[in-house]
Amino acid sequence: MITRPRSPSGAAGGSRAEGEADLGAVSASRARPPTTSITATSTTAAPTTASTASITTGSTAAAAVSAARTGAPSASPPSAGQVSVAGSAAAGHEAEPPDLDRVLRDPTEPTLHFQPVVDLQRGVIAGYEALARFESHPGVSPDRIFAAAVHHGVAAELEARVLAAALAARDRMPERCFLAVNVLPHLLGEPPVAQVWQDADLRRIVLELNETVDLDDTAELAAITSELRDRGAFIAMDDVGSGYAGLRQIARVRPDFVKLDRSLVVNIDDDQVKIALTELVGGFASRLNGWVIAEGVERADELAMLVALGVPLGQGFLLGRPRPDWQQLDAGVARRLRQLSERTNRAASIESLMERATVSIGDSGHCAMSTDCPSCPMRAPAGPPDTAHGRGDEQNPRATIIVSNRCRPVALHVSAGGGELRRMPTTLFARPEEPVTEVARRAMTRSRANRFDPVIIVTEMGRPLGLVRMESLMLRLAELST
């Protein structure tokens, strides 16, 4: 079963876990943070029955763009300038190339549509993916326009427009949600794109990096993603499972989100190999504190299997089609998700074992005091200390979670007895609703030196809520086994 330690957005509506933006519950696309180049349509943006249009040139980048937007692995591209459109050969004609001059002359191009990314365990919307649409070319797939832009050397200008539009849309988005946008990694440092994000507040933005791009050729990517994270962005790895280098690239980028390619999702309910691969990717991402998003969910049986596997987030026509407004999740779909989740997670949630802890900014400077933070001890008025957390109380020893200036846990101070505090790293995050048994399984996969360190409970946005000590977890496991 897959578990996600934290998530980058908060789902709108619901209980505490549902009402807070959680990076941990997370579990966004051409407009979200896990990649560098902004692309318009994703796998879920077009039905499986529709013919797929793509422009292929002598450039592997163009092939990668097309593959990212159609959800199919990129094939060896034909000679430069050759355009291939699914179905056009049968029709006996070649599609007209898009008019890029016309697109770039119009400051309103492209517009954005938004497809929901759904928390599969709670049945709420956790975020949206921004998908580009070109009103000047209503009959042309956005994939073809982006691929043509790559071929003609104007992709950075187009990507910059999409990213700027996504940032503007983020400010109108429902609270406690994230917005994902696709970007090509090698374009993140290009002047038109860099000018958009270098002085921007990137909170609640997920940048999706496409797996088909050879990250070894992007020497500055590590430094750029570090700067993006410092500005509040989350990084996602797109189309994982469609190429041979997926796990290697995940290990290098350490993404906050891992997006399963649709090829792994389609008919997963009837394919043991796909189930095993999904568990493999999910377990690997979980160890890196990343969240899995399954894209292209179109059938009820696929959805049921993904919930049973513990996949945190999902996206697809079954959950919501791209629209120009911020749509709500269908009430029937939400009810079905909650029923599936309750049936799957019979064990008690880890939240039942959570104890509150003091939160400290430590040596990280001044707290950003983000409006999407949950109730925080650092905001509480000064007063006498809570006797329940007194330094000498053996039943509830004092604990402090040290956070960065973005309120993400980086270390712990816990009582070692006699009032002495011991500093230790944070080695495992968990969402409040995760089953006790699953958290215990992940805890036991840690290194021997850290195996019995406390587990940090976080919201979907990665904000700390409290901690669970391993002795409490072991006692609950003993109770569940009787």
Side-chain angles (χ1 to χ4, degrees):
M1 183 175 181
I2 300 168
T3 59
R4 275 296 313 145
R6 64 188 172 93
S7 56
S9 95
S15 64
R16 185 220 55 72
E18 293 173 318
E20 293 175 1
D22 357 37
L23 209 291
V26 161
S27 337
S29 94
R30 276 281 164 250
R32 69 137 164 99
T35 46
T36 68
S37 130
I38 299 157
T39 55
T41 52
S42 74
T43 356
T44 52
T48 56
T49 55
S51 60
T52 313
S54 65
I55 178 168
T56 55
T57 71
S59 162
T60 55
V65 173
S66 178
R69 287 174 173 76
T70 61
S74 56
S76 301
S79 59
Q82 178 181 357
V83 177
S84 64
V85 181
S88 64
H93 65 276
E94 187 176 90
E96 290 293 328
D99 186 346
L100 292 177
D101 288 337
R102 179 182 178 187
V103 170
L104 294 173
R105 281 197 307 268
D106 188 346
T108 66
E109 292 271 58
T111 58
L112 296 181
H113 283 207
F114 307 97
Q115 185 171 32
V117 178
V118 176
D119 185 320
L120 300 184
Q121 306 301 316
R122 295 184 292 143
V124 295
I125 291 179
Y128 297 86
E129 177 177 5
L131 305 170
R133 295 291 184 266
F134 295 87
E135 296 182 1
S136 62
H137 292 69
V140 179
S141 165
D143 293 353
R144 291 189 59 227
I145 296 176
F146 278 98
V150 170
H151 178 56
H152 292 286
V154 294
E157 287 78 2
L158 208 53
E159 295 281 11
R161 288 192 183 188
V162 177
L163 184 56
L167 287 171
R170 183 269 314 273
D171 297 333
R172 306 188 301 270
M173 183 173 58
E175 294 182 359
R176 304 178 180 87
C177 289
F178 64 84
L179 184 61
V181 62
N182 265 279
V183 290
L184 289 173
H186 70 276
L187 293 180
L188 283 174
E190 291 294 313
V193 179
Q195 287 172 10
V196 175
W197 63 259
Q198 280 181 338
D199 295 320
D201 177 0
L202 300 179
R203 283 176 293 178
R204 299 203 292 162
I205 289 291
V206 176
L207 297 173
E208 292 187 6
L209 308 178
N210 186 266
E211 186 212 17
T212 58
V213 175
D214 187 356
L215 300 182
D216 289 334
D217 293 339
T218 313
E220 299 178 357
L221 183 61
I224 290 176
T225 55
S226 177
E227 188 174 352
L228 290 167
R229 284 181 164 122
D230 286 344
R231 296 190 173 280
F234 298 104
I235 302 300
M237 183 70 74
D238 198 13
D239 296 337
V240 171
S242 64
Y244 70 92
L247 296 182
R248 178 180 61 84
Q249 291 173 330
I250 291 173
R252 178 170 177 177
V253 177
R254 304 290 178 93
D256 304 292
F257 295 89
V258 171
K259 196 164 188 180
L260 290 178
D261 184 69
R262 191 181 183 283
S263 62
L264 282 181
V265 174
V266 62
N267 296 326
I268 190 174
D269 53 296
D270 192 32
D271 193 321
Q272 291 299 316
V273 173
K274 291 181 179 180
I275 290 173
L277 286 172
T278 298
E279 290 179 323
L280 173 65
V281 173
F284 189 47
S286 178
R287 288 295 302 274
L288 298 177
N289 286 324
W291 298 92
V292 174
I293 304 175
E295 84 175 321
V297 184
E298 297 186 2
R299 297 172 48 248
D301 289 343
E302 294 168 351
L303 181 62
M305 178 56 70
L306 292 168
V307 174
L309 289 173
V311 174
L313 301 173
Q315 178 183 357
F317 279 13
L318 185 64
L319 302 170
R321 293 171 178 259
R323 287 185 359 193
D325 58 344
W326 308 105
Q327 61 186 289
Q328 298 298 311
L329 185 63
D330 178 80
V333 172
R335 183 168 56 253
R336 177 60 175 161
L337 281 172
R338 288 192 291 269
Q339 291 171 347
L340 290 170
S341 181
E342 290 171 5
R343 182 186 308 165
T344 301
N345 299 325
R346 291 188 170 89
S349 70
I350 195 67
E351 186 177 22
S352 63
L353 302 177
M354 185 179 74
E355 69 177 68
R356 298 292 176 180
T358 302
V359 177
S360 171
I361 200 68
D363 300 326
S364 301
H366 298 290
C367 178
M369 288 297 184
S370 173
T371 56
D372 60 11
C373 280
S375 177
C376 176
M378 289 188 288
R379 295 170 180 251
D386 185 352
T387 57
H389 293 275
R391 190 179 292 266
D393 188 342
E394 291 295 335
Q395 296 301 316
N396 199 349
R398 183 178 180 84
T400 300
I401 301 174
I402 309 299
V403 298
S404 70
N405 64 343
R406 292 292 178 183
C407 206
R408 298 174 188 175
V410 294
L412 274 173
H413 278 162
V414 296
S415 174
E420 181 183 352
L421 291 179
R422 180 166 63 94
R423 185 183 178 99
M424 61 178 63
T426 56
T427 57
L428 184 62
F429 302 128
R431 289 171 48 190
E433 64 273 18
E434 286 192 52
V436 168
T437 51
E438 182 57 32
V439 175
R441 184 193 65 78
R442 290 198 290 120
M444 291 299 101
T445 64
R446 294 182 290 184
S447 66
R448 180 170 298 183
N450 304 113
R451 193 164 294 167
F452 293 95
D453 290 352
V455 178
I456 308 300
I457 309 302
V458 296
T459 69
E460 286 101 338
M461 292 302 298
R463 318 294 189 193
L465 295 170
L467 58 84
V468 172
R469 299 177 188 269
M470 289 304 293
E471 51 264 39
S472 299
L473 190 56
M474 295 299 107
L475 286 172
R476 178 58 58 84
L477 286 176
E479 293 172 359
L480 292 173
S481 67
T482 58

